[in-house]
Amino acid sequence: MIGENCLKKLLLILLALTVSLMGLFASESADARELYDGRYLIRPIDSKLVVTASWLPNKTYGKSSKVMIYHNEDNRNWRHWRIIGIGSDQFKILWRDTNLALDIAQGRAQNGTPVIIWPYHGGSNQRWRIYEMENGGYSFINVGTGLAFDLPGDNRTPRTLCHGYEENGTRAQIFQIIKLR
């Protein structure tokens, strides 16, 4: 039978190990088994708006489209994204059923650089790490630039254009990922 002092020491060790693992979990990329090859709505934390493209690229607008937040009151699942693991805890995020990827425009590592969709080419500006936050939300960090996917000034107005901004952990950089059936 284990003595009382021995049991207390064991509990302290387990507590220290738990706290250590919790800190490690917060800094690791989201588990690829959970976010792999699925269709998702991406929405700012504490919001009913969703992330979508501002228009479908075409002959008038060219290959790209800016990314914005917009209403989803009619539950239009066509505003969905496909999140696909590509190894090394990295993901490509494709708009709907297209080959258009979430992209930091021209790979510029400057605050305020627009986030766009662009034909997928596999460049580092189209690869993302997804980190689970303590509040159950997620942050998206661009592999090539180190910029976070961000709502300027945490503006929750429909049609607000998204941009890349240095990671700061604010609410403007935390999103819900909602799996569609």
Side-chain angles (χ1 to χ4, degrees):
M1 189 163 154
I2 298 176
E4 189 175 330
N5 284 339
C6 217
L7 188 57
K8 285 180 182 177
K9 287 180 184 177
L10 182 60
L11 287 173
L12 285 174
I13 290 170
L14 287 173
L15 179 62
L17 181 60
T18 302
V19 169
S20 176
L21 287 174
M22 286 171 59
L24 180 64
F25 180 74
S27 64
E28 288 184 359
S29 289
D31 188 340
R33 289 172 291 174
E34 292 179 28
L35 299 174
Y36 189 78
D37 225 7
R39 288 175 166 68
Y40 301 87
L41 291 177
I42 300 173
R43 64 174 43 166
I45 196 86
D46 303 325
S47 175
K48 292 186 179 186
L49 300 175
V50 296
V51 175
T52 189
S54 55
W55 60 79
L56 183 61
N58 56 41
K59 290 180 184 176
T60 304
Y61 297 113
K63 292 184 198 178
S64 74
S65 173
K66 292 185 178 177
V67 174
M68 67 177 183
I69 57 171
Y70 198 69
H71 296 285
N72 197 40
E73 292 159 349
D74 53 2
N75 289 318
R76 292 189 183 184
N77 290 339
W78 60 265
R79 292 194 172 114
H80 72 263
W81 298 85
R82 290 181 296 141
I83 300 175
I84 302 168
I86 55 176
S88 301
D89 286 331
Q90 296 178 20
F91 297 87
K92 64 180 176 181
I93 302 171
L94 302 176
W95 189 56
R96 300 180 7 182
D97 294 319
T98 69
N99 197 38
L100 299 169
L102 197 64
D103 179 304
I104 296 282
Q106 300 174 346
R108 289 183 303 198
Q110 298 170 337
N111 285 337
T113 300
V115 174
I116 61 172
I117 57 172
W118 187 265
Y120 183 71
H121 53 69
S124 63
N125 61 321
Q126 293 185 329
R127 297 193 313 261
W128 299 83
R129 286 201 166 89
I130 302 173
Y131 295 94
E132 187 170 0
M133 308 303 282
E134 290 180 7
N135 62 3
Y138 295 86
S139 68
F140 297 80
I141 308 299
N142 186 264
V143 171
T145 65
L147 297 176
F149 185 74
D150 185 277
L151 292 175
D154 196 28
N155 186 343
R156 304 300 177 103
T157 305
R159 293 191 175 93
T160 296
L161 297 176
C162 303
H163 68 189
Y165 200 85
E166 67 185 57
E167 185 179 4
N168 57 33
T170 63
R171 196 173 85 120
Q173 298 179 355
I174 302 174
F175 296 83
Q176 298 170 331
I177 299 175
I178 301 161
K179 185 166 179 65
L180 297 175
R181 295 182 183 138

